[in-house]
Amino acid sequence: MPNYKAKIYVTLKPSILDPQGRTVERALSHLDHKNVGGVRIGKYIELSLSGEKSDVEAQLKDITENVLSNPIMEDARWELTEA
Amino acid sequence: MPNYKAKIYVTLKPSILDPQGRTVERALSHLDHKNVGGVRIGKYIELSLSGEKSDVEAQLKDITENVLSNPIMEDARWELTEA
């Protein structure tokens, strides 16, 4: 069975406040990086899957939407490449 | 001054154990996703910067390596696009 590598990006929806990002932004400002703004912190997940491409795609969509992200607060997108 | 958007990916070095990834992997296995392995969890950071391109690139390298990641345990890479 072919092997695939997936990269998953989970970000907070734009309307959700990101206190961790705000804290980093303030820290950068204190470090004299005053031209930096809009810091948003998300998750980046790598995993590998084995199986047929169509099965793996459906499975990855399920995992991304139902396990790795919270669709109420987060957006998630993924990329699949053959390993 | 032009504005730039940066995307920063921070991952644990391959030699560093990732207990959070292992936990997700086990959870997925219990949910019948037994063909999933090698789960590694990193950070994905978005931010915007204003300034001249060469200054912004140097600044982003500094921020990525010295503030947003720990070079002992983590790898970091970044992408810069004009906003």
Side-chain angles (χ1 to χ4, degrees):
Chain A
M1 274 193 298
N3 278 299
Y4 294 92
K5 278 247 174 219
K7 296 177 178 180
I8 298 152
Y9 308 86
V10 180
T11 49
L12 282 172
K13 283 188 194 287
S15 59
I16 305 281
L17 286 177
D18 181 355
Q20 195 186 357
R22 283 289 296 142
T23 304
V24 170
E25 202 173 310
R26 245 183 338 245
L28 287 172
S29 172
H30 287 305
L31 293 167
D32 261 344
H33 296 295
K34 297 199 192 298
N35 60 332
V36 176
V39 180
R40 307 281 292 174
I41 298 186
K43 277 177 287 183
Y44 168 66
I45 301 156
E46 290 177 341
L47 51 84
S48 33
L49 303 106
S50 59
E52 294 310 321
K53 181 146 194 185
S54 58
D55 298 343
V56 163
E57 280 179 337
Q59 189 186 6
L60 185 55
K61 183 171 152 59
D62 174 44
I63 289 174
T64 301
E65 291 174 1
N66 298 315
V67 183
L68 299 177
S69 73
N70 167 1
I72 309 289
M73 294 175 60
E74 293 170 326
D75 292 321
R77 63 194 167 81
W78 47 268
E79 290 164 11
L80 194 66
T81 49
E82 204 151 343
Chain B
M1 275 194 298
N3 278 300
Y4 294 92
K5 279 246 172 220
K7 295 176 178 179
I8 299 152
Y9 308 86
V10 180
T11 50
L12 282 172
K13 283 187 193 289
S15 59
I16 305 283
L17 285 177
D18 181 354
Q20 194 185 357
R22 282 290 296 142
T23 303
V24 170
E25 201 172 310
R26 244 183 338 246
L28 288 171
S29 171
H30 287 304
L31 292 168
D32 262 344
H33 296 294
K34 298 197 193 298
N35 60 333
V36 177
V39 180
R40 307 282 290 175
I41 299 187
K43 277 177 287 183
Y44 169 67
I45 301 156
E46 290 176 341
L47 51 84
S48 33
L49 304 107
S50 59
E52 294 310 321
K53 181 145 194 185
S54 58
D55 298 342
V56 163
E57 280 179 337
Q59 190 186 5
L60 186 56
K61 183 170 152 59
D62 173 44
I63 290 174
T64 300
E65 291 174 2
N66 298 316
V67 183
L68 298 177
S69 74
N70 168 0
I72 309 288
M73 294 175 61
E74 293 171 325
D75 292 321
R77 63 193 168 82
W78 48 268
E79 290 164 10
L80 194 66
T81 49
E82 204 152 341

